Amino acid sequence: MSVEFELNETCPPEMTIFRAGAGLQDVPAGISNRPFRYEMLLSSRTDGENTVMHGVAGSGVITHWHSHPRGQILYVLDGEGLVQRDGGGIREIRAGDCVWIAPGERHWHGAAPAVPFSYISIQGVKDGSAVDWMEPVVLQEAGQ
């Protein structure tokens, strides 16, 4: 799937402050079962650099299956979320939890059915991309 977030060519060359909420916008179509809000805190297409995103998902909003070429760190800020790796069970995550998703590991994540979810995600860039989007999660797989 060729859905892409808008990324800069490289990270800023010096210290930069990103004001909370200044870049909040809707996610591109084709990456989740329903729209949610995000802000890119750091973005790059340069190999070896990182992208950092703040996501805010309403109750029951989950991403499509996807993977990250250099892996992903999810840090839960607020609410309750769900995460699942392909072939594994659905796991609950809560504020303060940190999840490591290995490079190339097919997975999804999102908000629990009755509770919103906000998080920070960090993923490295390889070959100009930080994520490979796939098909939607089948509802039975998401427990919804």
Side-chain angles (χ1 to χ4, degrees):
M1 191 175 283
S2 62
V3 176
E4 289 288 330
F5 287 94
E6 268 189 52
L7 298 177
N8 295 320
E9 286 305 312
T10 188
C11 292
E14 59 189 34
M15 182 189 302
T16 304
I17 297 173
F18 299 93
R19 297 290 178 200
L24 204 58
Q25 56 191 309
D26 292 328
V27 295
I31 69 161
S32 58
N33 64 338
R34 293 196 313 271
F36 70 94
R37 306 281 283 163
Y38 81 101
E39 58 186 326
M40 292 304 293
L41 302 176
L42 189 63
S43 71
S44 176
R45 291 190 183 283
T46 300
D47 285 5
E49 291 191 339
N50 291 315
T51 65
V52 180
M53 184 183 90
H54 171 217
V56 181
S59 303
V61 175
I62 61 172
T63 66
H64 290 187
W65 288 103
H66 62 285
S67 65
H68 302 275
R70 292 196 184 273
Q72 180 184 45
I73 294 170
L74 281 180
Y75 182 79
V76 183
L77 297 172
D78 192 37
E80 295 177 14
L82 302 172
V83 64
Q84 181 182 26
R85 66 183 293 276
D86 196 8
I90 297 170
R91 307 285 301 272
E92 294 181 357
I93 51 179
R94 293 182 171 77
D97 287 348
C98 183
V99 181
W100 166 246
I101 298 149
E105 187 170 43
R106 183 176 137 101
H107 69 286
W108 64 266
H109 45 82
V115 183
F117 172 61
S118 67
Y119 62 94
I120 298 289
S121 68
I122 304 167
Q123 43 280 318
V125 177
K126 181 178 180 184
D127 299 327
S129 179
V131 62
D132 178 27
W133 292 104
M134 301 168 198
E135 74 278 3
V137 173
V138 176
L139 293 178
Q140 297 91 298
E141 294 176 82
Q144 298 182 12

